[in-house]
Amino acid sequence: DTYPSQDLKEKILHKLKTSCTCPIIEIAEQNPAFPSIRLENNNTTAMLVQHMIVEHSYQRICYLGCQEEAYFSDQREMYYCKELEKHHRSVGQNDIFHAAYSKDSVSQALAFFEENGRPDAVVCYNDRMALLFMIAALSKGYRIPEDIAITGCDDSEDGRNAIPPLTTVSFPVYELGTTAVEQLIHLLHKE
């Protein structure tokens, strides 16, 4: 369920429905067209925000979203906002920014956040955005995580190898694949 556009998703689903006679398992968060396995991959943003508040006592936590992947980024932003609300915190005027995947755009995000003072932490849409933000923060002389804690999402190889290390979350991809194959076998046996 990570199609870059709804139009592409509809074309793929139509092609599968009209051309395939074999069992199909869809890994989809919402509205699956076939038997499916659900992987909720946005709640991790709430878990990161909760960790920043409970474990580190950070006061100002910003969210850096992604313009190019707005559909998915907006969902993670929603979890960010809900988690702040759970902890009786409000989103400040300069606490959310949607950047493009470029150094200039992410540098603009840092400047935007700084208009209200330095944030304690920035929860980023994904590791790619977090690494760009880390470069922008380091180039301005910030120490990571001492001055600004930065988190990503998706546990990318680049994020795992970053210095300083990037705090990120991973998903049970292996288990997801195993479960999908098990379900396909059940369908093949008409179970």
Side-chain angles (χ1 to χ4, degrees):
D1 206 21
T2 56
Y3 304 97
S5 75
Q6 187 64 29
D7 184 51
L8 177 61
K9 176 181 180 175
E10 290 170 11
K11 286 179 182 176
I12 291 171
L13 293 176
H14 176 73
K15 182 71 172 170
L16 290 171
K17 286 178 182 179
T18 58
S19 301
C20 294
T21 57
C22 63
I24 297 171
I25 295 290
E26 186 174 3
I27 299 171
E29 186 177 327
Q30 309 173 23
N31 306 319
F34 301 101
S36 69
I37 297 170
R38 183 171 189 251
L39 174 65
E40 201 297 309
N41 66 0
N42 298 310
N43 189 46
T44 53
T45 303
M47 293 165 52
L48 286 167
V49 172
Q50 178 184 27
H51 176 80
M52 296 292 177
I53 293 169
V54 173
E55 298 298 323
H56 299 286
S57 301
Y58 291 137
Q59 295 302 306
R60 183 165 174 237
I61 303 167
C62 296
Y63 178 77
L64 179 56
C66 178
Q67 292 173 351
E68 286 97 339
E69 298 177 30
Y71 175 78
F72 303 108
S73 178
D74 291 350
Q75 290 179 50
R76 289 183 179 172
E77 180 184 322
M78 180 183 67
Y79 278 88
Y80 156 84
C81 293
K82 285 182 178 180
E83 192 63 28
L84 285 178
E85 189 177 298
K86 277 186 193 176
H87 293 273
H88 310 290
R89 297 177 182 209
S90 58
V91 177
Q93 184 176 355
N94 290 78
D95 289 354
I96 296 175
F97 191 92
H98 301 102
Y101 284 126
S102 74
K103 287 181 183 179
D104 288 341
S105 185
V106 174
S107 292
Q108 290 172 4
L110 177 57
F112 178 80
F113 294 150
E114 289 174 320
E115 287 178 22
N116 242 11
R118 175 184 53 84
D120 295 319
V122 177
V123 174
C124 300
Y125 161 66
N126 64 10
D127 286 1
R128 183 176 174 194
M129 195 60 73
L131 292 170
L132 285 167
F133 190 80
M134 187 182 292
I135 290 167
L138 289 169
S139 70
K140 285 195 78 173
Y142 287 113
R143 297 170 300 143
I144 312 299
E146 295 85 1
D147 297 327
I148 302 175
I150 301 171
T151 69
C153 191
D154 300 335
D155 193 24
S156 71
E157 186 174 335
D158 290 338
R160 284 191 300 271
N161 295 315
I163 298 175
L166 178 63
T167 298
T168 187
V169 293
S170 60
F171 300 100
V173 177
Y174 180 83
E175 292 85 353
L176 191 65
T178 302
T179 303
V181 170
E182 289 170 355
Q183 294 302 317
L184 278 174
I185 291 169
H186 289 302
L187 290 174
L188 287 168
H189 291 114
K190 310 272 189 239
E191 297 173 1

